[in-house]
Amino acid sequence: MGWSARCCDDARSADPSDLRMNPNDPPWHADTRVLHDDAALADDAAVVAPIHYSATFRARDAAEFADMATRARHPAYYTRYGNPVHERVAAILAGLEGTETALLTASGMGAISTTVLALVSAGDHVVAQTRHYMSTAKLFDEVLPRFGVEATLVEQSDIDALRAAIRPNTRLIMVETPANPTLVLTDLAAVAALAREHGITTICDNTFASPLNQQPHRLGIDVVVHSATKILGGHHDLTAGAVCCSNALAERIWRMHITLGSVLSPMDAWLLLRGLRTLAVRVERINANALELARWLERQPQVEKVHYPGLESHPQHALAMKQMKGGGPVIAFAVKGGFEATGRFVGALQLATHAVSLGGVESLIVHTAAMWAGTMNEAQMKAAGIPPNFVRFSVGLEHADDLKQDLARALALANAEQT
């Protein structure tokens, strides 16, 4: 049993009456949306979108200037407020996630921090996961308490624990699925239903899946955030964040955004637009590579445990099949021999680059315990489910057979040095 190879076929518009297409036609598939959803925003005859590298934009008269200065998210007033390239990227992302709109920030943490700070006030309470990207965890552990906002962290796979954590002053539930780096899943439909019962806003970090593999908003989540640096950009050459939500929430979040100033440069926005053009074909290939490699790694005697949502051995595989269309680029696994052997294994690889980030065309790998040792102590890593021999492998577009050969040689070398 598994996902269809055409993982992106169902990623369609939330609004079939979209004026950019014939209302009698079915919504476009994701492969088409990433190429054409911004076509109505083109402002010249160029086939490729131009880079609007201007901090400020000219008004023709006083009336137009007043409109530019007072209209929320105007795309051609001042780039901190918006930019024509931002607008084009936002149109594509909103179409993929099925939300009314989207807005862009300078990084994934810019998107997360801006959204959270826009939606909570002193005296509020937030429910989040015990397993989050480490900077997200620090936002809840260290930053929010300084401003009178309390956060309760719960095991994300336990919906009853999440329900028990809700208080009368709970305003926000933040989830991340699959979680970094353990790939534990959160039941998005269950979280959304629970939040609606209590009038709580929900946020999902969808970075590890991308809208091609998972669409949280269609499962009831209010706000979807991304580190667009990763799968959406896809080439390890930009830093960006995205927030996908309703128009009403976007205006509220945007007002915090222009205050905090996490502004995406026009160049990075253009690189993101270029990356989105190939998103569907990249994700399809990466999903196939990752699933094949995860199954192969499970058979290797030097590997203790493999974590990947597409594997039947994943404890939440049934949930993955229910809410995801593909497993995404990241495989987590434990190498036999402990911390030292794992370091030797990572160092011996030739194709998989030893570097942070994920979701790009090149495969990347990190020894997770070594990477996070500077920001988490041993007890914190144990609580987060990160053993000393844990590896996070972001699968790229290389041929799967070549990646297997590279992994097999490195595993053999790590094991040989140990013995």
Side-chain angles (χ1 to χ4, degrees), residues 49-378:
I51 306 171
H52 290 263
Y53 233 125
S54 182
T56 189
F57 297 85
R58 180 185 298 112
R60 288 169 293 188
D61 52 42
E64 184 179 35
F65 184 82
D67 175 64
M68 292 164 61
T70 56
R71 194 198 324 166
R73 305 173 61 210
H74 196 292
Y77 167 62
Y78 185 57
T79 288
R80 179 158 58 90
Y81 287 54
N83 183 282
V85 192
H86 294 181
E87 187 181 34
R88 296 185 72 152
V89 174
I92 294 172
L93 291 179
L96 293 176
E97 286 288 8
T99 57
E100 288 183 334
T101 191
L103 57 90
L104 304 180
T105 62
S107 69
M109 280 311 302
I112 292 168
S113 299
T114 300
T115 300
V116 170
L117 291 172
L119 299 178
V120 297
S121 301
D124 288 347
H125 175 249
V126 176
V127 177
Q129 301 175 177
T130 53
R131 308 182 198 209
H132 269 293
Y133 176 58
M134 58 184 173
S135 293
T136 306
K138 285 185 176 294
L139 176 66
F140 295 123
D141 291 341
E142 300 176 9
V143 178
L144 292 186
R146 293 173 52 200
F147 299 97
V149 178
E150 190 176 355
T152 299
L153 308 183
V154 301
E155 167 53 47
Q156 70 190 70
S157 61
D158 187 349
I159 193 69
D160 290 331
L162 192 149
R163 180 181 291 105
I166 292 175
R167 303 175 184 174
N169 62 332
T170 302
R171 298 289 176 265
L172 194 65
I173 296 175
M174 172 85 189
V175 299
E176 173 187 326
T177 183
N180 183 13
T182 56
L183 305 181
V184 178
L185 306 183
T186 306
D187 188 331
L188 291 172
V191 169
L194 179 62
R196 280 195 301 272
E197 290 176 19
H198 297 272
I200 299 169
T201 302
T202 49
I203 305 173
C204 176
D205 184 342
N206 201 29
T207 298
F208 266 50
S210 89
L212 277 296
N213 286 326
Q214 178 175 267
Q215 295 165 307
H217 184 68
R218 299 188 193 280
L219 296 171
I221 298 297
D222 297 306
V223 183
V224 183
V225 294
H226 288 273
S227 172
T229 310
K230 313 299 194 300
I231 303 172
L232 299 179
H235 293 79
H236 303 135
D237 57 4
L238 65 94
T239 304
V243 182
C244 305
C245 57
S246 67
N247 287 320
L249 281 171
E251 182 169 341
R252 186 173 169 186
I253 295 164
W254 172 80
R255 294 194 182 283
M256 179 62 72
H257 164 68
I258 62 171
T259 299
L260 297 180
S262 178
V263 181
L264 182 63
S265 78
M267 185 68 208
D268 276 359
W270 186 88
L271 288 171
L272 177 54
L273 181 63
R274 184 210 59 183
L276 286 170
R277 302 304 194 199
T278 61
L279 178 66
V281 291
R282 285 189 289 104
V283 169
E284 186 174 336
R285 173 65 176 270
I286 286 171
N287 281 346
N289 270 0
L291 184 57
E292 182 176 346
L293 287 166
R295 288 171 173 163
W296 179 85
L297 282 164
E298 279 198 310
R299 300 193 297 270
Q300 305 313 302
Q302 304 97 332
V303 175
E304 279 183 7
K305 178 69 176 174
V306 181
H307 305 264
Y308 188 69
L311 292 175
E312 289 78 2
S313 59
H314 191 288
Q316 297 172 291
H317 180 65
L319 176 59
M321 296 297 296
K322 177 182 174 184
Q323 70 182 26
M324 299 180 72
K325 301 181 181 73
V330 178
I331 305 169
F333 59 98
V335 178
K336 288 184 179 177
F339 186 90
E340 297 299 331
T342 305
R344 289 194 296 270
F345 160 71
V346 171
L349 290 165
Q350 294 180 340
L351 290 180
T353 301
H354 192 181
V356 298
S357 200
L358 60 102
V361 294
E362 304 95 350
S363 291
L364 303 178
I365 195 162
V366 291
H367 183 183
T368 313
M371 176 177 68
W372 286 12
T375 57
M376 298 174 70
N377 58 39
E378 187 174 340

Side-chain angles (χ1 to χ4, degrees), residues 9-34:
D9 276 355
D10 294 328
R12 302 182 176 188
S13 170
D15 181 12
S17 65
D18 190 327
L19 295 177
R20 286 167 289 171
M21 59 185 81
N22 186 326
N24 295 318
D25 291 339
W28 288 329
H29 295 80
D31 315 56
T32 304
R33 301 200 73 100
V34 296

